[in-house]
Amino acid sequence: MSSQQDLLRINIAIDGPAGAGKSTVARKVAKRLHYVYIDTGAMYRAVTLSAIRAGIDFSDVARLGELAATLNIELKPGEKSQLVSVNGEDVTEAIRSRDVTLGVSAVAAVEAVREHLVDMQRRLASLKGVVMDGRDIGSHVLPDAELKIFLTADIRVRAARRLQEIDQAERIDLEQLAAEIAERDRKDQEREISPLVRAADAITVDSSYLTIEQVVEQIADLSRTKLAEAK
């Protein structure tokens, strides 16, 4: 039986393509509502980084699955972003490298990797009061989430945002980055295991011409409506 505290909180799933602003928005929504933020993308990046360091080819699905099972991935709130550690090592910055970005879709498509991380994500959300972002949260990880958002934006807008996040030494042409994001969209949408898809009951929010705060306020308003409906 749910406790009274459970009845006062809901789970919020935020899905969408790369560069739509999911992590930033989800983190701010969680802070606004005093919820727990879970960056699932960072978890897949952590596995990808570990695979690169271990010299595991992204096509070696068996070893990738075995690797994922050995990793203790922790997510903790930080001043500017969520802090990510793997087996006690802070990898918050390392998981944002271009090599990781280019490889994470392949790693995230491995069924054994997804099964391990999805189980972890569902356990974290079982107490309610969670804001979780990714590509299959509303459709697969938390299909019963009370509020589902599909956050998107024009691909050139997404490329420009991502360019600002890239280390100066790794800077590339905007058009090349847009092409890479389009290719990642294709891979995420076409993968057999939990592809990027808008859940049937998700609310689409286009962030192309909205500020972060406008998006956050819109989602916070929707969450208050959903919470009132759940009471």
Side-chain angles (χ1 to χ4, degrees):
M1 182 179 293
S2 298
S3 68
Q4 185 63 33
Q5 186 178 23
D6 289 341
L7 296 176
L8 298 177
R9 300 185 299 180
I10 63 172
N11 283 336
I12 301 173
I14 301 179
D15 289 311
K22 299 184 300 297
S23 296
T24 300
V25 167
R27 186 173 62 251
K28 287 180 174 291
V29 168
K31 185 176 182 179
R32 176 80 61 89
L33 301 176
H34 303 291
Y35 279 17
V36 175
Y37 166 52
I38 300 173
D39 182 354
T40 64
M43 297 171 76
Y44 287 102
R45 283 175 173 271
V47 177
T48 304
L49 174 67
S50 298
I52 292 172
R53 289 179 171 180
I56 299 175
D57 191 278
F58 295 152
S59 64
D60 193 339
V61 297
R63 289 189 66 195
L64 287 172
E66 292 169 358
L67 173 69
T70 69
L71 303 178
N72 177 26
I73 302 171
E74 293 184 296
L75 306 177
K76 299 178 180 178
E79 287 188 15
K80 294 184 178 180
S81 65
Q82 191 163 60
L83 301 179
V84 184
S85 68
V86 175
N87 295 340
E89 178 194 353
D90 185 347
V91 296
T92 306
E93 297 297 327
I95 63 171
R96 300 298 169 184
S97 72
R98 190 157 175 261
D99 284 344
V100 171
T101 297
L102 293 175
V104 67
S105 287
V107 173
V110 177
E111 185 172 8
V113 172
R114 298 199 72 84
E115 287 179 350
H116 178 72
L117 295 187
V118 167
D119 180 64
M120 187 185 305
Q121 292 155 10
R122 286 174 175 163
R123 281 188 277 111
L124 290 170
S126 64
L127 297 178
K128 297 288 188 180
V130 156
V131 181
M132 191 178 294
D133 76 288
R135 285 168 176 71
D136 65 341
I137 309 306
S139 61
H140 178 66
V141 181
L142 301 179
D144 296 325
E146 290 83 353
L147 176 59
K148 300 175 185 177
I149 301 294
F150 191 83
L151 185 63
T152 188
D154 178 81
I155 196 164
R156 287 185 61 84
V157 172
R158 291 192 277 138
R161 290 173 179 170
R162 185 53 56 86
L163 193 62
Q164 296 301 313
E165 299 174 355
I166 296 176
D167 185 88
Q168 191 67 37
E170 296 183 320
R171 281 298 177 95
I172 62 173
D173 178 78
L174 179 63
E175 293 301 324
Q176 180 184 345
L177 186 55
E180 289 180 357
I181 289 176
E183 176 63 11
R184 185 173 177 190
D185 285 352
R186 185 190 68 78
K187 289 180 178 178
D188 288 343
Q189 291 164 356
E190 295 179 0
R191 71 186 182 208
E192 292 184 11
I193 308 300
S194 300
L196 166 65
V197 62
R198 177 187 176 277
D201 53 348
I203 298 169
T204 298
V205 175
D206 189 327
S207 68
S208 298
Y209 306 106
L210 298 175
T211 65
I212 292 173
E213 289 305 320
Q214 286 174 324
V215 176
V216 170
E217 187 56 40
Q218 187 172 339
I219 295 175
D221 284 345
L222 288 168
S223 73
R224 285 189 279 269
T225 298
K226 289 292 183 180
L227 184 58
E229 292 174 354
K231 289 182 178 180

